Every structure is written in structure tokens, then in C-alpha cells.
Amino acid sequence: MAPPQVIFSYPIIIFQESDFVKNGLKIRSSKAFEADKSGKVTLRGEPKEKAIPSNEERKEWPVLVHVVAPAKMERFPIDLVAVLDVSGSMSKATSRHGWTRLHLVKAAMQIVTKKLGAGDRLAVVPFNRDVVGATPLREMTTKGREEASAKVDSLRAGGETRFLPALKHASGLLDGRPAGDRQYRPGFIFLLSDGQDNGVLGNLAGVRRYPTHTFGMCQSRCNPKSMVHIASQTKGSYHPVNDDLSNVTQALAVFLSGITSAVAVNARVDLHVPDNSGVLIKKIDSGAYEGTIENANGKSKGSVTFGVFSSQEEKKFIVYLHVPKLENVQATTAPQPLLTVSGEYSTPAGGRKVEKMNESKIQVERHAPATTKPAAGDHHVTASAWSEAVMVEIVRIKVVSIVEEVLKNHEQQEEPDQKQMAKELREKWESFIKETPAGKDAAERLKEKLPKHHFDEVHASLVQEEYDGVLYLYSWLASHKTQQATTMAASSSATVAGWFRQQYMQQMAADAVFDACGIRPGVDIELDATGCGCGCAVDMDRIDRRLELWSSLKRDAPLMFQPSEDAKSHHLTAVFCEASLDAINRAMHHDMYLAVVHASNLRRCYSGAGKQEPHGDGSTSELPAHDDDAPPHAIEKHSE
């Protein structure tokens, strides 16, 4: 067995919902309970400096606003429309498994129907040149899952590719819901295709109302501009995927883990400055999210609309204020109020409960001019008390703008010159930190803490041969503009964007690899040159490590439920602890079952033709042929 190590550390340990839900109970660590005391979306504001000399003005004074969603059990049910390409190109054989791309889509959709809850609804919109037999939104009950799976299994490839008719149909399905559903059931669209359709460029009227997340089976060194355009115009994410089943299922798992964790909807942050103070909101850097500013009649206010927040999701944006100098005032002992940040959102409680975010008040000390020495015992904050967090966010936003500019310069090229793009990135980065006031300020103050990893990350994707840099940059850009996790095409295997992922997303992506091993979309698999062409290969050491994790969690579970002196509370604590241990046992048994299924799959791969079975140490042994034709999912059904 591999040496024990914890590979997942999310406070809600989830394998499959059925494994961890019993009478509404899910397992959480004691730390998660502490973090979830308020159970509300919280915000805070943080200025770049704590003090401004009274005789100075700031034309664009940055304030960082940080919004964080709670880690909660209750979530909103969602409506999801799967827009699936069934054009002729989807019949192309993949490089692995002997499957076509359409077979991969069918297999990946099994993950989608499996991960959605019974209260969620799914519609399937197949398309080529036009929509081909779409389904309505169906609840993912047992019957709904069967109907959705039957529809997907019946798909056949043929025809040309046009995105717009299918996207309009998908948007129409979501528009056609009752008003209450449109407001309180988040609606999402995802598009899975290997094609491009430049007809959508500048022509998405009527389909921008719902986030559309695009999954492109784009070939190496291609230009995925239409898929990227759809995602960027709808506040969705772009996921480059390849012809590997585990790659596609991981990308979908990351996407699904976010949308099925919606704990707040209709979220909006409001900004107000004191009336007639001379302070004005000049600019809001909020990425893909709409920011508004109103300056009139001595008043200045603004807002940023985020819409949906997933569990533990964080959003940051920068507000730039014009702060005038104080006329005829040498100094003031009272801090000057500059900005009040507030907001509201709806929660799943009672279906439509509106909650207020906490208020965050930004104020600054206006001390005497810098030439005046403070008197003894004077505790005024000096201008040197600047915020590292604000400057780090400014640098991140700047790198986003640099990447966006370089991509725009090369968007018309069918095969963009990655070396030239890398050169332009470096030139713009060095110009920022050496020539612009904000860049020089960041370089001087942050020094070795200057977050160069943003630049290094995108630059490396362009200069290293194994990376498809253009796809990586588009995915990176979509992730950073929406501040959402996405999968990156940085190498042959998809990785989850580290900046915005939650640990439960990473876990669900890893679980998707295990799920993919039990999926065979009704196609005979041909052995490839390596001797094994079926399914995916799961490292048995990973299963060992998972079992070690469950064992550790099982040991720690009693510590999460400390009994009180109250007899009734003591009884409830014992009940919850017992239920938690039962859930952990079932999860361990499921992992053991997966190991057996995986071993059976490997044996099937290497049987029938005198193939060599691989061992963990790299050695092999001859396997006899056998006659077992039952697919893995048939074994699973029997075990249930």
C-alpha cells in the first residue's frame, strides 16, 4: 500500500450524494462549523492606505471589496440545458479507446445525470445545423434520469455545425419557465462541441441572459474564438478538452460542482459615498460582472451585480475613488468617511428569503501635511500603512488586461504565433512594473512578494512545447474575468484553475475519473498498440490513499461531535456521530467496489489475446482469455 497521505481536505467530504446524505445529514468538520456560524454572504472593504494628508488629493484611490459566500448545506435547485453537438465531425474516431467523439459525449452525459439532484432539472438540446429533437426540462428523478439517458443514447452524428439555433432554443427553454422559477432557480447552459461557428460573433442577441459554459474539443494550435466569444458574452467559462474520457468528465465535474452548490442568487453589492463630500466613484474594476456608477447633484453611488454565488465562492473587485484635499483644514482628528459598501441576495430558506449583507464602512484619517511632525503621543496612522491585498489584486487585474490585449491582437490568426505572443506578454509586463505609477508602486512595495506567478503562469504556457498556449490563455482569461474555476488546457491532462477552485471541486474532478472507469457507451472497444484500449487507467495507489483518508476521517469523526451536559443534546450528538460513521463506512465500501470494478476492467482489457497484465511495480503476468461479456455498469447494477 502507498504511504498514507491526505489528498483531499475539504470540510464537506463528498464522494457521491447518496453516500453522505441520510435524513438530510451531511458530514462536516468542526472547522467548517466555526466558519459557517453566520451562514450569510459577507463582505468587507479595504483601502490601499489608512491615511491621506489633508492637503493632498487622490484622483483614483483604490478600495478592494471582498465578497464571500458561506459554506452551507442548503442550496438552490438549478435548471440546466445541455447543448450537444451531433454534427458529422462528432463521428470522428478519438485517439484513445476506439470511441468516436459522440461516444465520449454520451459517456460524459452519464456523469451529468448522475451528479444532478432530484430537485434539479435537465433539458437536452442536440444540434447540427438545426436543433435535432430537443427535450423539455425534466426533473432528475429516477424516471427523469432514465428519459435523459435514453435521449442521449439515441443520438446519431451527421450534418453541419451551427451554434446559434441551438443556443436560442436553450435560452427559450429557460425563458419559458414561470416567473418565480426564473428568479429563484438559477438557469445555466453548457455547450459541448468539437466545432466552430463564426456566425455567433457579434450575433448573440437574445441568448446573453444565462451563463453559457463552453467545452471545446479544439485541435492543437486551433483558434477557439467562437466558443470563447459565447462564454465571455454570457459570463460563462471556457473549458478546452481533448479526446480523453477522463479529461471531459473532469471538466464537466468542475463545472457541475460549482453550479450545484448555489447558496445565493440575485446577489448585488451597493456602493455609496457621503452626500456633498466631494468624493466621487470614478471607476469599478469588476471583470465580467456589470458595474454601474451614478454621479449627480452632489451624490455618488454605484453597484456590482454578481447574480449567483456558490458555496464558499469569493469575488473581489476594485473601486476607484476621487478623494479631494480638505480646503482650509490643517488636519482632522476624526476619520473621514469615504465609502459605504452593502448588498443583498436571496437564500434558499423558504424559497425566496432576501438577506442583507453586512455593511462595511471605509474611512481614512486626514492627518496634517507630511512636513508637520506629529506631536508626542500622536497616534495618527501614517501614509505608509498601505494594504498588500489591494496591491496584489491590482496586479492580478492588470495581468488580466495584458492577456486580453495580447489575445485580441492575434484573434484573427488561424494559428496564432505563440512565440510572438510570449514576447508581447513580457514586454507589456515589464512596461507595467517599470514605467507605470501603479506598477512601479507595486514592485517597490511588494518587492519579492510581487505576484509574478500570474505572468509566469501564462508566459510559460506559450513557450513550453507541451502546452497549447492559446487554449490555455483563453481558459485562464475566462477564469480570471469571472473569478470561477475552469479546467486549463495546459498539458495533456486537464487541471483545475488553482486561484478560484474550491477543494470540493478538486475532489469531484478526481471522483469523475473513477466514475469514468465504469462507463462504456455501448461500443466494442478495440485494443490499441499498447495492449489496452478500454476505459481509463486509475492508479491503484490513488484508491489506497482515498481509503487511508476515510480511515483518518473515521478516527476523527467522534471528535467533531463533542457532547454537552444536556441529556437531549447528548443523545442527538450520539445519533449524528453514528450516522456520520455509517456514511463513512459506505463511502469506503464504495471505493473498495470501484477498485474491484477497475481491476475487472483491466483484466478484461488484457484478456482474450494473451495480453500482459501490468502490476504496480511495473512487472507483468500472462492472463488467460475469458468469456465474461458483462459491461461494468451491469456489474454495478447487480451489486446494488
Side-chain angles (χ1 to χ4, degrees):
M1 177 176 287
Q5 55 178 304
V6 176
I7 54 174
F8 303 124
S9 55
Y10 177 52
I12 306 174
I13 305 296
I14 301 175
F15 184 81
Q16 294 187 46
E17 193 165 4
S18 60
D19 290 328
F20 285 82
V21 182
K22 187 173 185 178
N23 299 324
L25 174 67
K26 290 187 182 179
I27 300 174
R28 295 190 300 173
S29 71
S30 55
K31 182 177 287 188
F33 282 114
E34 293 177 5
D36 199 25
K37 282 182 179 178
S38 70
K40 295 183 177 181
V41 176
T42 58
L43 57 79
R44 63 181 174 86
E46 184 173 345
K48 178 187 173 184
E49 299 166 307
K50 301 292 186 181
I52 300 175
S54 59
N55 65 336
E56 295 182 12
E57 71 170 339
R58 296 288 186 267
K59 293 184 178 180
E60 289 191 350
W61 192 65
V63 176
L64 171 66
V65 179
H66 189 185
V67 190
V68 183
K72 294 178 67 173
M73 300 299 97
E74 192 174 8
R75 70 166 176 92
F76 284 94
I78 65 163
D79 290 331
L80 176 63
V81 183
V83 180
L84 307 177
D85 187 353
V86 294
S87 64
S89 60
M90 294 297 287
S91 63
K92 180 180 178 181
T94 63
S95 58
R96 300 179 66 183
H97 314 316
W99 296 358
T100 67
R101 290 179 174 176
L102 186 56
H103 286 131
L104 288 179
V105 171
K106 292 180 180 183
M109 283 300 295
Q110 293 185 39
I111 299 292
V112 175
T113 56
K114 184 176 182 179
K115 297 299 183 185
L116 293 177
D120 300 319
R121 296 189 297 211
L122 173 69
V124 179
V125 180
F127 75 97
N128 44 40
R129 183 173 180 81
D130 295 297
V131 175
V132 185
T135 71
L137 286 165
R138 291 192 177 102
E139 287 191 342
M140 287 293 98
T141 59
T142 300
K143 181 180 179 182
R145 294 177 201 275
E146 291 173 351
E147 291 175 345
S149 296
K151 177 62 184 179
V152 172
D153 287 343
S154 71
L155 298 179
R156 298 294 180 267
E160 300 176 353
T161 304
R162 280 206 311 163
F163 293 159
L164 203 55
L167 293 175
K168 286 184 176 180
H169 187 91
S171 186
L173 288 174
L174 296 174
D175 283 342
R177 299 172 298 165
D181 286 357
R182 291 199 303 272
Q183 187 172 6
Y184 295 103
R185 288 182 69 101
F188 303 93
I189 299 170
F190 82 85
L191 168 65
L192 180 55
S193 172
D194 68 343
Q196 296 295 321
D197 176 15
N198 292 337
V200 300
L201 302 177
N203 188 27
L204 286 176
V207 299
R208 287 193 175 97
R209 289 184 292 278
Y210 304 99
T212 301
H213 303 261
T214 58
F215 297 78
M217 294 179 178
C218 193
Q219 294 303 297
S220 181
R221 300 297 187 261
C222 71
N223 194 331
K225 56 187 176 185
S226 59
M227 298 282 276
V228 171
H229 181 74
I230 293 167
S232 64
Q233 292 298 305
T234 61
K235 301 182 180 68
S237 54
Y238 167 63
H239 302 252
V241 293
N242 58 30
D243 288 345
D244 181 79
L245 176 59
S246 63
N247 181 283
V248 178
T249 54
Q250 283 187 74
L252 284 171
V254 170
F255 160 65
L256 289 167
S257 65
I259 66 172
T260 57
S261 304
V263 296
V265 300
N266 308 320
R268 186 190 70 247
V269 175
D270 298 316
L271 310 165
H272 296 271
V273 302
D275 293 348
N276 302 309
S277 63
V279 179
L280 296 174
I281 300 174
K282 299 293 291 183
K283 184 173 69 171
I284 300 174
D285 268 342
S286 51
Y289 302 100
E290 180 183 2
T292 63
I293 299 174
E294 296 181 30
N295 291 328
N297 303 318
K299 298 181 179 182
S300 183
K301 62 181 181 178
S303 67
V304 178
T305 301
F306 289 106
V308 178
F309 268 90
S310 296
S311 176
Q312 297 181 307
E313 187 173 14
E314 302 180 32
K315 305 290 187 190
K316 297 178 182 179
F317 63 95
I318 299 285
V319 183
Y320 290 91
L321 303 178
H322 174 254
V323 183
K325 64 182 178 180
L326 298 179
E327 299 292 343
N328 303 317
V329 178
Q330 284 292 322
T332 178
T333 56
Q336 179 188 3
L338 295 182
L339 180 69
T340 299
V341 186
S342 59
E344 67 177 32
Y345 61 98
S346 298
T347 72
R352 307 181 179 187
K353 185 178 180 182
V354 176
E355 294 274 6
K356 297 290 185 182
M357 299 181 194
N358 61 293
E359 278 194 350
S360 180
K361 295 183 180 293
I362 307 300
Q363 54 189 18
V364 64
E365 294 196 27
R366 304 304 299 270
H367 53 67
T371 54
T372 303
K373 293 183 179 181
D378 191 345
H379 297 293
H380 290 318
V381 179
T382 65
S384 62
W386 53 275
S387 165
E388 180 177 309
V390 175
M391 303 192 77
V392 166
E393 181 63 9
I394 289 173
V395 172
R396 186 190 70 83
I397 291 173
K398 181 60 182 180
V399 177
V400 169
S401 70
I402 290 175
V403 171
E404 189 170 26
E405 184 180 352
V406 171
L407 283 170
K408 188 173 181 62
N409 291 342
H410 294 264
E411 66 181 356
Q412 300 303 322
Q413 300 172 4
E414 287 304 318
E415 293 189 14
D417 185 340
Q418 292 194 173
K419 290 184 178 179
Q420 178 61 30
M421 293 174 73
K423 179 182 177 183
E424 292 176 20
L425 277 172
R426 179 167 295 281
E427 289 174 349
K428 292 180 184 298
W429 167 255
E430 292 182 350
S431 174
F432 166 65
I433 62 174
K434 293 179 181 179
E435 298 174 15
T436 66
K440 288 194 293 185
D441 193 25
E444 179 183 351
R445 293 179 185 270
L446 294 173
K447 300 186 187 313
E448 68 278 0
K449 292 185 178 181
L450 181 70
K452 293 183 290 186
H453 46 270
H454 289 301
F455 166 77
D456 292 339
E457 186 179 344
V458 294
H459 186 267
S461 71
L462 292 171
V463 298
Q464 297 184 23
E465 288 297 325
E466 66 270 23
Y467 284 21
D468 195 330
V470 174
L471 298 185
Y472 183 86
L473 258 62
Y474 275 121
S475 182
W476 185 96
L477 181 62
S479 176
H480 277 261
K481 293 196 75 172
T482 60
Q483 299 182 61
Q484 295 176 342
T486 184
T487 43
M488 304 292 199
S491 61
S492 58
S493 61
T495 57
V496 183
W499 268 78
F500 308 110
R501 71 167 180 249
Q502 302 301 329
Q503 290 180 352
Y504 63 84
M505 295 179 179
Q506 194 80 338
Q507 178 172 337
M508 187 177 281
D511 289 344
V513 177
F514 289 88
D515 290 339
C517 289
I519 294 173
R520 295 182 67 186
V523 60
D524 292 329
I525 307 304
E526 296 180 0
L527 296 176
D528 59 25
T530 64
C532 184
C534 55
C536 60
V538 174
D539 184 358
M540 297 298 286
D541 284 347
R542 294 181 65 183
I543 298 178
D544 286 343
R545 292 195 297 271
R546 286 175 60 83
L547 291 174
E548 177 65 27
L549 170 64
W550 294 127
S551 298
S552 175
L553 185 61
K554 188 174 180 179
R555 289 193 300 270
D556 294 342
L559 301 177
M560 302 178 193
F561 301 96
Q562 296 297 328
S564 67
E565 296 179 358
D566 179 68
K568 183 177 180 181
S569 174
H570 190 284
H571 174 71
L572 287 175
T573 299
V575 170
F576 286 157
C577 186
E578 182 179 355
S580 300
L581 291 173
D582 181 61
I584 293 170
N585 283 335
R586 285 186 286 113
M588 293 178 74
H589 294 159
H590 199 108
D591 272 11
M592 294 175 192
Y593 159 72
L594 281 176
V596 172
V597 170
H598 174 57
S600 175
N601 286 347
L602 285 182
R603 184 177 182 87
R604 180 187 305 279
C605 287
Y606 286 89
S607 65
K611 301 299 177 182
Q612 298 290 316
E613 180 185 26
H615 299 302
D617 60 1
S619 63
T620 61
S621 62
E622 193 79 11
L623 282 178
H626 66 88
D627 233 354
D628 183 6
D629 290 328
H633 54 267
I635 300 173
E636 182 174 353
K637 185 175 293 186
H638 176 72
S639 72
E640 292 173 352

